[in-house]
Amino acid sequence: MNNLLNYIAGTWQEPSNGLWLDNPEPATGEIFSRIPDSGEQDIQMAVESAKKAFPIWSGMSVEERSRIMLNIAQGMKDAFDALAEAESKDQGKPLSLSRVMDIPRAIQNIEFFATEIIHFASESHGGKGVVNYTVHAPIGIVGCISPWNLPLYLFTWKIAPALATGNCVIAKPSELTPFTATLFAEICMKAGLPDGVLNIVHGSGLQAGSAIVAHPEITAISFTGGTVTGRHIASIAAPMFKKLSLELGGKNPSIIFADCDFEETVTQAVRSAFTNQGEICLCGSRILIEESLYEKFRDAFIEKVQQLKVGDPFEAGTNIGALVSKAHMEKVMSYIELAQEEGGTILCGGKIVSPEGRCKNGWFIEPTVIEGLNNSCRTNQEEIFGPVVTLQSFSNEEEALLLANGTRYGLAANVWTQHLGRAHRMANALEFGIVWVNCWLLRDLRTPFGGMKDSGVGREGGFEVLRFFTETKNVCVKF
Ligand code: TXE
C-alpha cells in the first residue's frame, strides 16, 4: 500500500492524528493508496511553515520566482509519463486524455503564470503636482482547494498565480484524487522551491478543507468545486472578510442553429458532452437544437455517441473511462432514473457498464442521451456531472435564449451558427461568464475564466487572477 504524505515545510509529514483515508482506483474499485486524514493541527503546521517562508518568497525578485517556477515546469515535463499515468489511475479518465489535456495543461499553467508575472504592471494616475501609483502586493498566506475532475490541471491553475504573485500557499487537492499533487510536491523539492512556500495538506473537505477556510491567518480562499460546498465556504469566509474566488458548477447549453457547419457541430457537441466522462464544469449537458434541424442532428449525434468506447482508461481506444467514485456513479444513475420519472426517453445508454477483465468492478456508465424533457425539470436544472445529456428543440433565437438562460447556473455556453450577426446577438444576451462560438474548450489563459449567477464569484486567469491574489494599495504623492 502506498501511503501518500503531506508536504509541509519542504518535508514529508504523516497526519498528526494518525488517521488515514483509503484511495481507490475508479477503474477497478481497488484501494491502491492511503492519504492523511489531516485536521486542524496539520493545517496549523502548514501555516507556521508558510509564515516563515513568506518573507523569503515575497522578498525575491519576480525574475527569481519566475525562474524557480520554470524549473518546476521543466520537472513536470521530465515526469510527464508518470504524471499522466498517475492521473488516469487516480481519476479514472482515459490515459490518452491525461496525455493530451490534463498534464500538458498543468505544465502550461505553471509556465504561463511564471512568465505572466514578469509583465504584470501597476497603474499610475498623474495630476497637477500629484502622482498616484498603485501597488499590487502579495496577500500573505492563501488557501487553494481544488476538485477531483481535473486534478493537477485545476490544482496548478490556482497555485501557479498564487505563487507567482509572491504568496505562500496551503493547498488541498481533493481527497478523491490526491496522487498527482503529491508527485508535484516531489518536483517542487527538486526544482528549488524554498521550504514552506507551498504546503500540500491531504484530507477530507469537512476536516482539512474546513480548517483551511476557517484559519484566521489564511486570508484568501480560491475554491473550485460544487455549488453547495461553495455556498458553505462563503458562509464561513465572508464574515471573516477573506478574499474569495469561487468557481462552481454549471448546466451549460450547447445551442445549435440550423445554419451551423453540421459535421463539425455534431463532432464538437459529442466532445463537449462526454469529454472526461462529462465530469467537467464546462461540459455542454443541455443540447438545444433548432426545430428544423432537430431530427437530423439527433440521429447523427446518437450514431457518434454509440461509437464511443467505454472501458479501461489504460486501453488505447477508450473514449470514456470510469466515474470518479462509487458514490458519484450512484448519483449519476439516480439522475438517469429521475429523468425517466420526469417523462424523458432514453435514446441511448442509461446503464452501468461492467467491462471484462481487470475493470469488472469499476465505476462505468454508458454515455446517455435523453429527449422529451422540458427545461424546468430537475434533470435539466441540476448539475449531473456525468456522461448524461438532454436534447431539446427551439423555434427561434428568442426561445433558444429563454431555454439557455433559464437556469440558476451561468458558467459556459456554446453557440453553433454560420450567421455572424446571430452569433454576436446570442453572445451578447447569454448570461454566462464564457461564451464559445463554433468551438468548445478552446482556452487562452490570458482570458477571464469563471461564471455568473450560481456558478461562482470572481474570475480566474490572465491578469484578473493576479489581482485576486494581491492586495491593492494606492500611494498618493504630492510634489
Ligand atoms: O465536490 P466538493 P463533490 C460539482 C459536481 C459534483 C458536485 C459534488 O456537480 O457532483 O459538485 O462534488 C473540498 N470546506 N463539482 O462533493 O465537495 C473537497 O475536499 C472546504 C463541480 O465531490 O465541492 C474537494 O477538495 N473544502 C466542480 C473540493 O472541496 C471542502 C468540480 C471539491 O469538493 C469542503 C467538482 C468544506 N466544507 C464537483 N467540503 C467544478 N466546478 O468543476 C468539500 N471540500
Side-chain angles (χ1 to χ4, degrees):
M1 183 73 58
N2 199 347
N3 277 353
L4 308 183
L5 298 174
N6 288 332
Y7 170 61
I8 298 176
T11 58
W12 297 113
Q13 302 282 339
E14 297 206 350
S16 326
N17 56 14
L19 300 176
W20 299 85
L21 297 171
D22 288 338
N23 182 35
E25 177 182 359
T28 62
E30 277 164 28
I31 291 155
F32 74 102
S33 61
R34 297 193 311 169
I35 61 162
D37 185 7
S38 310
E40 275 176 29
Q41 245 183 306
D42 306 282
I43 300 298
Q44 187 56 37
M45 274 168 58
V47 169
E48 293 304 328
S49 97
K51 260 160 72 174
K52 279 203 198 107
F54 182 64
I56 301 164
W57 185 243
S58 61
M60 280 185 184
S61 66
V62 285
E63 289 80 6
E64 278 174 282
R65 287 204 297 265
S66 171
R67 190 183 48 76
I68 293 172
M69 290 181 66
L70 290 173
N71 282 348
I72 296 174
Q74 184 56 48
M76 295 169 79
K77 288 178 191 167
D78 297 341
F80 188 93
D81 290 342
L83 287 169
E85 278 161 31
E87 201 68 299
S88 286
K89 189 175 174 73
D90 208 13
Q91 208 277 340
K93 67 181 74 207
L95 180 60
S96 54
L97 189 63
S98 293
R99 294 187 70 87
V100 300
M101 182 178 78
D102 293 75
I103 307 307
R105 173 57 197 275
I107 296 169
Q108 203 194 345
N109 287 338
I110 302 287
E111 284 179 334
F112 176 81
F113 290 109
T115 49
E116 187 188 43
I117 192 65
I118 295 172
H119 306 279
F120 187 38
S122 63
E123 310 84 53
S124 169
H125 302 86
K128 198 171 170 225
V130 177
V131 66
N132 287 274
Y133 63 90
T134 306
V135 181
H136 299 285
I139 297 174
I141 307 176
V142 302
C144 296
I145 300 177
S146 51
W148 44 259
N149 55 335
L150 305 169
L152 192 61
Y153 174 139
L154 290 177
F155 186 77
T156 49
W157 177 236
K158 295 186 178 305
I159 64 168
L163 294 174
T165 41
N167 298 290
C168 290
V169 177
I170 317 292
K172 194 194 86 60
S174 169
E175 59 274 40
L176 301 179
T177 52
F179 216 106
T180 45
T182 311
L183 297 180
F184 183 80
E186 277 173 21
I187 292 168
C188 290
M189 280 168 149
K190 289 189 198 142
L193 187 71
D195 295 349
V197 170
L198 171 66
N199 301 276
I200 302 175
V201 185
H202 293 289
S204 72
L206 276 183
Q207 230 173 248
S210 298
I212 292 174
V213 175
H215 198 292
E217 288 173 282
I218 302 176
T219 46
I221 302 288
S222 173
F223 168 80
T224 297
T227 295
V228 174
T229 311
R231 182 175 289 120
H232 176 73
I233 287 177
S235 75
I236 311 282
M240 297 172 84
F241 306 113
K242 296 191 180 202
K243 282 187 107 173
L244 259 185
S245 166
L246 302 174
E247 204 274 280
L248 310 175
K251 191 75 185 174
N252 310 304
S254 297
I255 308 161
I256 293 161
F257 285 94
D259 64 5
C260 68
D261 173 342
F262 187 74
E263 293 301 326
E264 171 69 0
T265 304
V266 175
T267 302
Q268 294 302 326
V270 172
R271 193 175 145 250
S272 156
F274 297 111
T275 298
N276 208 48
Q277 300 75 242
E279 295 167 328
I280 304 183
C281 54
L282 306 165
C283 279
S285 55
R286 291 183 297 141
I287 304 184
L288 313 177
I289 308 144
E290 191 166 358
E291 243 162 37
S292 57
L293 189 71
Y294 185 84
E295 280 167 20
K296 181 178 170 198
F297 178 88
R298 177 192 63 193
D299 296 347
F301 183 76
I302 302 273
E303 199 186 318
K304 270 212 157 46
V305 173
Q306 282 171 332
Q307 287 161 14
L308 295 175
K309 190 168 165 271
V310 184
D312 190 339
F314 287 92
E315 249 170 45
T318 293
N319 306 108
I320 299 193
L323 293 188
V324 74
S325 68
K326 187 160 185 279
H328 189 56
M329 180 185 75
E330 285 164 358
K331 175 183 156 187
V332 174
M333 284 309 294
S334 76
Y335 274 104
I336 294 174
E337 272 166 40
L338 175 72
Q340 293 169 92
E341 284 162 23
E342 289 181 322
T345 306
I346 296 186
L347 299 175
C348 73
K351 290 198 259 341
I352 286 179
V353 180
S354 179
E356 294 282 303
R358 76 168 200 114
C359 294
K360 65 177 187 310
N361 296 321
W363 304 314
F364 299 86
I365 295 183
E366 291 172 337
T368 303
V369 182
I370 302 168
E371 72 171 357
L373 291 168
N374 63 40
N375 203 47
S376 60
C377 69
R378 282 182 56 206
T379 310
N380 272 330
Q381 289 294 321
E382 297 177 14
E383 188 180 40
I384 301 175
F385 219 59
V388 181
V389 294
T390 63
L391 307 183
Q392 293 176 78
S393 69
F394 62 83
S395 51
N396 53 31
E397 275 179 45
E398 205 182 5
E399 195 188 1
L401 276 170
L402 271 179
L403 295 174
N405 288 338
T407 154
R408 65 195 176 95
Y409 292 110
L411 188 52
N414 49 93
V415 181
W416 301 85
T417 176
Q418 294 295 306
H419 190 298
L420 182 66
R422 169 179 292 144
H424 284 292
R425 277 196 299 279
M426 293 295 291
N428 183 51
L430 282 164
E431 295 162 358
F432 293 81
I434 300 156
V435 178
W436 277 296
V437 178
N438 296 330
C439 58
W440 177 74
L441 203 56
L442 190 55
R443 291 281 295 122
D444 179 330
L445 304 192
R446 294 170 299 182
T447 61
F449 177 88
M452 298 180 181
K453 294 156 63 175
D454 285 10
S455 289
V457 175
R459 295 292 181 271
E460 300 185 291
F463 290 127
E464 300 260 351
V465 73
L466 300 187
R467 290 193 193 99
F468 172 77
F469 278 121
T470 48
E471 277 293 2
T472 305
K473 181 194 290 175
N474 188 68
V475 180
C476 174
V477 182
K478 186 165 180 286
F479 57 87

